[in-house]
Amino acid sequence: MIDGGRLWRRLSELGEIGKQEEGGVTRLSFTDEERAAKDRVASYMVEAGLSVREDAAGNLFGRREGKTRDAPVVLIGSHVDSVYNGGNFDGPLGVLAGIEVLQTMDERGMETEHPIEVVAFTDEEGARFSFGMIGSRALAGRLSPDELEHEDADGLSVAEVMRSRGLDPERIGEAARPRGSVRAYVELHIEQGRILENEDLPVGVVTGIAGPVWLRFILEGETGHSGTTPMNLRRDALAAAAEIIGVIEAEAAATGTTVGTVGQLDLEPGGINIIPGRVEFSLDLRDIDQAVRDPTEERILEKAGDLCRRRGVRLEVETLQRLSPAPCSELVRDAAKRACERLGVRPFALPSGAGHDGMQLTDLCPMGMIFVRSKNGVSHSPDEWSTKEDCSAGADALYWAVLDLAGGV
Ligand SMILES: [Zn+2]
């Protein structure tokens, strides 16, 4: 269906922009590299016969008109910014596949009722300002000028770098699309996990985007001499933490869908012959269903409280971040499922553990995603890889799903 060779060539070309000695790409938002990537993407949009423009947030759009000119637009795309030394597929695949889909429609003389736009969102990754999804937040009308004060490592704010790129942060509101103006948002993206590889499938239909809760556990026990303190007289903060981590693993696993990770742990004083008196550790708990995630969190906290009381350890829990999961809409999931069937691929549903721009759009329009198999599940790394065949299959699935949603089949 789509031209897999052309898609692959563009992916390779775009991968040269911001290429690092270590083998990955670094394209942080509002840098020369990101600008060059957007310019290259804009040139592909022109080749595809699309009309090109950028909005007040720097989001880049290529539009193809529908038969009904004022009908709500079907929006497809992703991002071209990256993390530090990231991979070449996370983001660019969705943008370039979107262009490929519209160019194919053009070449085949396909008409659709609804107009279709490809978007390259500004700063999805958040690598520069530790505040991502700037473009999609703006498009959803969820971003105000005062939220543009996040600073990068050099102390430059989002607002300042926007000005240096000719954008007016005070006018960020103009990027917001009115409700009812977007029929659906569909994003093709690499899975960044190994579920599809495990199922031996090139593509899958995303059920929802997981929302993370980030907690910090602070345990205060009592420091003591490891040789002179009998086991029954200890208030070992690390032993308590170890038990809580076991509870986290068991409670998350018991749901079948929730994932819980303790990725940071600090202990004091940290001597080989000293009982740890204080421990701090993080928890990242995610699920695509809040009705599963939140009770899991409650059970973990209840058990943690009980076992700390039993051990004479004081427990304090801080919430660092709490994002709502974003279920994908039936409308988009069904279209993606039918697209898989057309391609002869078993429709397979899987969640997204990672965050994506679609999360920001749930109040604006029906949202959904199609995943492409990732080699070894590796992402945010120069080793990130999806085969040419799988990228083509993903773009083909996107083609049929978009044609379906835009009223062309
Ligand atoms: Zn991405």
Side-chain angles (χ1 to χ4, degrees), residues 78-79 90-91 124-125 187 189 192 356:
S78 193
H79 58 96
D90 175 357
E124 189 271 347
E125 295 285 5
E187 177 166 350
H189 202 281
Q192 305 177 278
H356 296 287

Side-chain angles (χ1 to χ4, degrees), residues 72-75 180-187 327-333 358 361-369 405:
V73 69
V74 173
L75 194 60
S181 67
V182 182
R183 167 150 166 80
Y185 174 70
V186 196
E187 177 166 350
C328 292
S329 80
E330 288 293 324
L331 179 79
V332 178
R333 287 177 64 178
L361 309 182
T362 47
D363 291 339
L364 177 70
C365 62
M367 173 282 291
M369 297 184 76
L405 289 164

Side-chain angles (χ1 to χ4, degrees), residues 238-271:
L238 183 60
E243 223 182 314
I244 296 172
I245 293 167
V247 166
I248 289 167
E249 194 179 35
E251 289 293 339
T255 64
T257 55
T258 305
V259 285
T261 306
V262 175
Q264 297 173 329
L265 187 144
D266 298 301
L267 67 88
E268 290 173 25

Side-chain angles (χ1 to χ4, degrees), residues 180-350:
S181 67
V182 182
R183 167 150 166 80
Y185 174 70
V186 196
E187 177 166 350
L188 183 73
H189 202 281
I190 55 164
E191 182 200 335
Q192 305 177 278
R194 36 180 99 208
I195 298 176
L196 289 173
E197 196 172 59
N198 197 45
E199 294 287 329
D200 196 22
L201 287 168
V203 295
V205 179
V206 178
T207 51
I209 304 173
V213 176
W214 286 358
L215 303 178
R216 174 153 287 271
F217 288 69
I218 302 153
L219 285 76
E220 295 269 8
E222 192 176 31
T223 297
H225 192 296
S226 66
T228 61
T229 318
M231 298 308 284
N232 64 337
L233 295 182
R234 294 183 180 209
R235 292 164 56 212
D236 184 330
L238 183 60
E243 223 182 314
I244 296 172
I245 293 167
V247 166
I248 289 167
E249 194 179 35
E251 289 293 339
T255 64
T257 55
T258 305
V259 285
T261 306
V262 175
Q264 297 173 329
L265 187 144
D266 298 301
L267 67 88
E268 290 173 25
I272 192 168
N273 57 355
I274 310 171
I275 297 163
R278 180 186 166 91
V279 171
E280 286 193 26
F281 67 88
S282 62
L283 170 62
D284 174 329
L285 192 73
R286 304 183 187 208
D287 199 294
I288 60 163
D289 188 352
Q290 197 157 349
V292 178
R293 183 195 71 184
D294 289 356
T296 307
E297 179 192 357
E298 277 167 34
R299 281 195 301 279
I300 290 168
L301 293 179
E302 194 183 308
K303 289 189 177 177
D306 286 350
L307 71 89
C308 281
R309 263 191 299 280
R310 178 162 46 78
R311 287 172 168 275
V313 169
R314 206 171 70 81
L315 172 68
E316 195 186 317
V317 181
E318 290 173 3
T319 304
L320 305 177
Q321 173 170 251
R322 180 177 298 274
L323 294 181
S324 298
C328 292
S329 80
E330 288 293 324
L331 179 79
V332 178
R333 287 177 64 178
D334 286 348
K337 195 168 157 241
R338 284 192 292 272
C340 289
E341 283 162 355
R342 270 181 178 273
L343 298 176
V345 174
R346 172 169 62 94
F348 178 79
L350 76 166

